[in-house]
Amino acid sequence: MANATLETLRASLLEKQRELQRRVESLEKDLSQARSPDFAEQVTERENDDVLREIAREAREEIQRITHAIMRIDEDTYGSCERCGAEISAQRLAAIPNADYCIGCAQAMESQ
Ligand SMILES: [Zn+2]
C-alpha cells in the first residue's frame, strides 16, 4: 500500500481515537456527578448510568482496536491478515479500516 494512503489513514485513525477519548471522558464526568436525593430519581439515574457505561465500554473497545491498527501501520504489517498472512483486500479495508483478518479468516472464525 502506498505510504501516502497509510499516512492519511493513520491521521484519520488518530483523529477518531481522540474523538472517542473525549467522549469517554465526558461520559465518565457524567457518571461521577452527584446523585439526586430523591429515590425515584435515583432509579432513573441508575438506568441512565447503565446506558452511559455501556456506551463508554464500547468506545474504549473501539479505542483499543484503533490503537492496534495504528500499531500495525507503524510496524508495517497493516493490511495483512493476522491469521494467515494474506493481504486483506482494499475493499474490505475501506469498509473496516481496522480489520485484522482477511475476509476468509473472518468468516471462518465467525462460523466456529
Ligand atoms: Zn486470513
Side-chain angles (χ1 to χ4, degrees):
M1 203 179 295
N3 275 344
T5 315
L6 278 180
E7 274 306 310
T8 311
L9 180 67
R10 194 181 189 283
S12 75
L13 285 170
L14 269 177
E15 182 50 45
K16 180 107 193 284
Q17 194 180 37
R18 271 195 289 268
E19 189 189 304
L20 286 163
Q21 196 65 51
R22 276 195 295 270
R23 194 184 303 168
V24 169
E25 277 163 21
S26 91
L27 285 166
E28 276 167 356
K29 209 171 126 210
D30 281 352
L31 284 165
S32 67
Q33 260 160 17
R35 293 290 164 250
S36 166
D38 181 79
F39 182 74
E41 278 282 308
Q42 285 178 20
V43 173
T44 313
E45 282 175 351
R46 264 200 296 276
E47 282 168 4
N48 286 339
D49 284 357
D50 286 345
V51 175
L52 293 182
R53 264 190 217 99
E54 181 60 21
I55 297 170
R57 193 183 60 79
E58 277 169 17
R60 277 195 212 92
E61 281 178 7
E62 181 73 12
I63 289 171
Q64 280 189 342
R65 282 194 290 270
I66 292 173
T67 305
H68 189 67
I70 292 171
M71 199 185 76
R72 276 160 61 80
I73 291 173
D74 292 345
E75 287 177 347
D76 212 20
T77 57
Y78 181 81
S80 59
C81 176
E82 288 203 333
R83 191 163 177 259
C84 71
E87 237 177 83
I88 303 172
S89 74
Q91 201 181 6
R92 179 165 164 76
L93 286 173
I96 314 163
N98 47 17
D100 291 330
Y101 305 103
C102 71
I103 187 77
C105 288
Q107 282 172 350
M109 286 159 76
E110 258 174 43
S111 63
Q112 263 169 17

